[in-house]
Structure formats: structure tokens, C-alpha cells
Amino acid sequence: MDWNRQQVAAIARIRATLSPSELEKAEKVKRINDRYLGLTRDTTFSLAFNNLVASVAWHDPQDENRPGKRRILAVCGESGAGKTRTIMEHISLIEAMAPYTDEDGGTVNPVLMYEPPSPCTPKLLAIEGLRKLGMPVRASIRENEAWDTFRVALKAHKIMFVVIDEAQHAVVAANAVDQQKIADAFKGLVQMPDWPVRLILAGVPPLAEFLSEHEQLFTRRTAIRLEKLEGTQGLATIDEILSKIAAHGEVSLNLPTDPNVKFKERLSHAGSGNFGTIVQMIRGAVELAVLEGAPEVSKVHFEKMYMAYSGCLEHENVFTHAAWQELEPLKAFMRVNDKAPRTRRERGEKQIKFGDRP
């Protein structure tokens, strides 16, 4: 079955139900979300990616085992920091990472990007890479065989850049032995004398800890940490992206400027200080204004957006609550009765054994 054809037809049917005005608004919302918002940290990303490409250009098969070569780029940050979007943007800007037609007339994509399953094992990490390449994998394959097959497959498919997103899945629940196996596998990927591979790892802080504990990776990686938007500099960045996204939506801003209201501080708190999450929230508020046909984005749009995003009660909205600093956005959806019931041990009651009456 041709799923692409089916998808195009299904979307066309949906579009046929919308009025020209609704279609125009939908297209505007798409343009808002498609735009990439660069920061000063993009300069660091650009340098790191260019260095990876350059290291392939001067690849020397006779010198692959020399330590100190930075063949791994690690991007760490909290969920919602904008790791994946930033990586994809920079890949799209580098000609050496773009698909091309090889000497046999085939199309080659030198970048393989995939996400490990969760929970994960060293073997599953290799198997998922093989599956992403479209290769059949038998269930009985041994761990070392899976990694050998993966390395051969990378050469056969002319993959030079492997991006593992949410890489913490591979290590967060792994014991010391499995973590060492993964570290050895990563080292093996970037040290193949007959084919240069560069590795890009993205994940939340457990990944940073893993990379710091294995010297064989520490000496081979460049690390970029995506920090939270905090303090005066963070608020200035929020101010900048507010203006940019409003311009993308072709609407003006009508937001509180009273320092006592602390609107930008509330927005930062609502997004836990994470750039990607804050961008999504601003886009969500602008999207509401666009769909309403409003000429400006107001505080009310942010209130509605936050309620939709968080599932909070109306009186616990970060943008209206007097004691907003005390609210926990990640728990806004929870209610009093949502907590798991305490166990007998937690209540101090006697544990019931098999055969006892309760």
C-alpha cells in the first residue's frame, strides 16, 4: 500500500472542509512553527559541526587509534531545551551532511538519525540503528554480532554522521557493565580505520554523567550544554523571542510592562527556564491570536495557552496567581486525588503474609 499517497489524500480531504480564511490562518500557524529561532549559542554549534566535518576531510586510516581526536559531539540539556531542533537546523545548513547522488546514480544520505528504545540494552541500541537503515534483524542475533553488522551497514550505506537522539535511554537504566559496553561501542564506531564515522549524542543530564565517567569518551568528545534562560540575560532572550515570534505571526504585542507583574519571569517559570518549552508556549499564545483573527497578542492569550498546555485549574494559572513562584508547572495537571495510595508499610501497618486474614 502506498502510504504517502494515502496521507496526501487524507490531508486533502481535511483541507477541503476548511474555508479560504481558515486555510490562510492554518498556513500562517505553520509558518510560525517552521521558523528557526537562533541564539548566540548557535555560533558554538556551528563551530562544533564544522569541526566534525573537517575531521572527516582529514581522515587518516593510519592514525585512527591516536587519542585526543574529537569525533563525538555531545549536546546535553533538560527536556525542552531545544536540543533536537537545533541539531536538525545545523545539519540542514551543512552541505557535507546533505543527501547526494553517488557515482552509481543512487541517492545517499550521509546522516543517520535515530532514537534508542526505552528501556534499552547495548544490543537493542545497535538493532535500532539497523532497523532505521531498513535492514532486517533476526531476534536471535548476538550483541557483538549486532554491533559488527551495524558498523558494516554504516559503510555499506555510506553513513558518516550518526545522530542518537534521547541517548540517555541507552544508559539511564544500564548497570556498570552495560555502560562500559556502550562506551566501547561508541568508541568503536568513531575509530573504524576503513570508514570515518562521527557521532552526535543528544540527551538529558544522565547522558552528561555517563560521558564524564568514561575517559575513553571524554578524550574524544566536544560537549555543549544548553543552559536554562535565567537571570537578566535569560529575560533579555525571552524579550527577543517574544518580538520575533509575534513578527512571524504578523501580530503586535500587548503585554504587561509593569515590573511588579513580572510577566517575563512568569513565562520563564511556566517553561521551567527551558528555551524550547518557552518558544512553544509563545508560539501557542501567538497561534491563539492568529486563529481568533486578533491583531495583537495579550496576556489573556498566554493565560489560555498555559491552561491548555498544563491542564491547571483556573485559579492556579502561573500568569494570574499572586504566588506564582510557588506553583510547580510540571505538576499543574495533578489533583489531590491523583497521588498513588500509600502502601501498608508507609502507613505503618503490619504486612499481610500469605494465609493471613487482612
Side-chain angles (χ1 to χ4, degrees), residues 235-257:
L235 295 179
T237 300
I238 290 174
D239 202 33
E240 181 182 349
I241 59 180
L242 275 167
S243 298
K244 285 184 177 181
I245 296 175
H248 296 166
E250 299 174 10
V251 293
S252 59
L253 293 172
N254 182 16
L255 301 172
T257 56

Side-chain angles (χ1 to χ4, degrees), residues 217-285:
L217 300 182
F218 182 86
T219 58
R220 290 173 172 83
R221 55 95 169 157
T222 297
I224 299 177
R225 186 70 175 253
L226 302 190
E227 306 292 350
K228 290 179 178 290
L229 299 183
E230 297 176 326
T232 304
Q233 185 175 352
L235 295 179
T237 300
I238 290 174
D239 202 33
E240 181 182 349
I241 59 180
L242 275 167
S243 298
K244 285 184 177 181
I245 296 175
H248 296 166
E250 299 174 10
V251 293
S252 59
L253 293 172
N254 182 16
L255 301 172
T257 56
D258 185 343
N260 295 319
V261 174
K262 295 187 180 297
F263 176 80
K264 286 181 288 187
E265 288 87 341
R266 289 172 186 260
L267 177 55
S268 178
H269 184 68
S272 299
N274 289 314
F275 174 75
T277 303
I278 293 170
V279 167
Q280 288 176 7
M281 288 185 166
I282 297 173
R283 282 176 171 161

Side-chain angles (χ1 to χ4, degrees), residues 270-347:
S272 299
N274 289 314
F275 174 75
T277 303
I278 293 170
V279 167
Q280 288 176 7
M281 288 185 166
I282 297 173
R283 282 176 171 161
V286 171
E287 179 179 331
L288 286 177
V290 169
L291 295 178
E292 289 177 4
E296 60 185 22
V297 183
S298 69
K299 178 172 172 283
V300 173
H301 291 117
F302 279 88
E303 293 168 13
K304 291 179 180 178
M305 171 279 301
Y306 183 75
M307 286 190 69
Y309 272 45
S310 70
C312 70
L313 294 172
E314 188 171 357
H315 67 277
E316 292 183 342
N317 195 310
V318 166
F319 292 96
T320 59
H321 201 284
W324 55 271
Q325 300 99 324
E326 298 175 8
L327 299 177
E328 298 181 70
L330 293 179
K331 297 181 180 179
F333 188 63
M334 293 182 64
R335 304 293 183 263
V336 174
N337 295 330
D338 287 344
K339 294 182 179 180
R342 293 189 302 166
T343 64
R344 287 178 173 270
R345 185 185 301 275
E346 289 171 335
R347 293 196 301 266

Side-chain angles (χ1 to χ4, degrees), residues 30 40 96 123 169 219 242 249:
K30 181 181 184 301
T40 53
K123 183 171 84 168
H169 290 171
T219 58
L242 275 167

